[in-house]
Amino acid sequence: MMFDLAGKVALVTGGNGGLGLAYGRGLVKCGAKVALWGRNADKNQGAAEELRAMGGDAEAFACDVTDESQIAEAFTQTITRFGQVDSCFANAGGGGFRGMSHLTDRETWLRTIDLNLMSVVQTWRPVTEHLLARQSGGRLVVTSSVAALMGTGGAAGYSTTKAAVRGLVQALAVELGQAGIRVNAILPGFIETEMSTDTPQEFQDACRRRSVIGRIGVLEDMEGVAVFLASDHSDFMTGQSIVLDGGHTIFPM
């Protein structure tokens, strides 16, 4: 098998559903052990059971990635269970506030920044320390969005934070490259998830019209990119943003 992840451990935040669980499915299919972090205990258990039913070695840990103490505890539990982490997918986040940015107060802005930017910084901190101590390289991946590349009126906080993590990726790629740690971002377009389908129907219809391949994304579309970025075959790729959008961002509509 070309993309053999046997012996590798992947950590996925927001891993109990949506894109995170899709990453997990792809990773276990290629032999990786997977640690899922999520806030909802029932969803955590269900996600871990699903991956185990696929033949994978998976465990879920309760964690709110906006809380540093919970991150520290979940990371300790992950290392105790699996012994190591080789790749970390910082996927947890959310849409943030809706509305005109100039009418949005400072505290609301800061909550969105905490949710989509600082959560990544905080999650990657113990993972990076662990990878540097092991001196065996590793992979850091963040879920950004095509909203980082396009204007999204009424969701300035989301666009801003998803663009910010691309800057973080480039900075950390430079900082950690000599240590063998590769840092990259995935920028999905419209993928059918619980969060994306809880948007106005006219927005969803517009996304379908902009797809040059005639459809919007499904969760299975996310599996392969996760496997590639967790594998040694992505060793020459770092500081990059992989757009996975069915051509949405290139359609001159």
Side-chain angles (χ1 to χ4, degrees):
M1 181 165 56
M2 182 176 183
F3 292 101
D4 185 0
L5 298 177
K8 301 291 188 181
V9 179
L11 163 59
V12 185
T13 72
N16 61 14
L19 304 184
L21 183 53
Y23 296 156
R25 293 185 188 111
L27 293 163
V28 299
K29 286 177 183 178
C30 291
K33 301 175 183 180
V34 178
L36 305 172
W37 289 9
R39 293 181 298 179
N40 185 300
D42 291 337
K43 288 184 66 177
N44 284 356
Q45 181 178 353
E49 289 176 353
E50 178 184 335
L51 297 188
R52 288 194 287 265
M54 295 171 59
D57 185 355
E59 196 74 55
F61 304 93
C63 185
D64 179 343
V65 291
T66 65
D67 185 327
E68 285 191 286
S69 64
Q70 291 191 37
I71 289 172
E73 177 63 21
F75 190 72
T76 297
Q77 293 173 338
T78 299
I79 295 300
T80 299
R81 170 66 169 79
F82 292 106
Q84 66 192 57
V85 167
D86 300 285
S87 59
C88 177
F89 290 78
N91 170 71
F97 66 82
R98 300 288 300 180
M100 299 292 283
S101 62
H102 71 285
L103 299 176
T104 303
D105 62 65
R106 172 182 170 83
E107 290 305 315
T108 302
W109 264 99
L110 291 176
R111 281 195 296 272
T112 302
I113 292 169
D114 204 31
L115 177 63
N116 288 338
L117 173 58
M118 291 310 301
S119 66
V120 180
V121 174
Q122 292 168 172
T123 297
W124 280 353
R125 181 178 291 123
V127 177
T128 300
E129 291 173 350
H130 170 74
L131 294 176
L132 290 173
R134 287 180 62 207
Q135 298 183 341
S136 57
R139 304 288 187 267
L140 301 178
V141 183
V142 64
T143 302
S144 178
S145 168
V146 294
L149 307 175
M150 306 171 67
T152 53
Y158 184 75
S159 291
T160 299
T161 50
K162 290 302 184 180
V165 294
R166 294 182 66 218
L168 177 66
V169 159
Q170 292 180 327
L172 294 188
V174 174
E175 289 184 8
L176 302 173
Q178 293 296 312
I181 301 172
R182 308 297 180 242
V183 192
N184 293 289
I186 301 171
L187 279 63
F190 190 94
I191 310 293
E192 283 189 315
T193 66
E194 290 181 9
M195 188 173 79
S196 68
T197 53
D198 187 27
T199 54
Q201 188 61 48
E202 57 268 25
F203 171 75
Q204 297 183 41
D205 292 342
C207 290
R208 287 183 175 86
R209 289 194 300 271
R210 287 186 66 116
S211 172
V212 302
I213 63 173
R215 67 172 177 86
I216 59 174
V218 294
L219 290 174
E220 289 78 8
D221 292 320
M222 306 304 298
E223 295 182 10
V225 68
V227 170
F228 171 66
L229 290 176
S231 77
D232 292 339
H233 295 286
S234 62
D235 192 60
F236 199 54
M237 174 177 284
T238 195
Q240 300 305 307
S241 296
I242 300 177
V243 178
L244 203 65
D245 70 344
H248 182 112
T249 51
I250 65 164
F251 199 169
M253 184 175 175

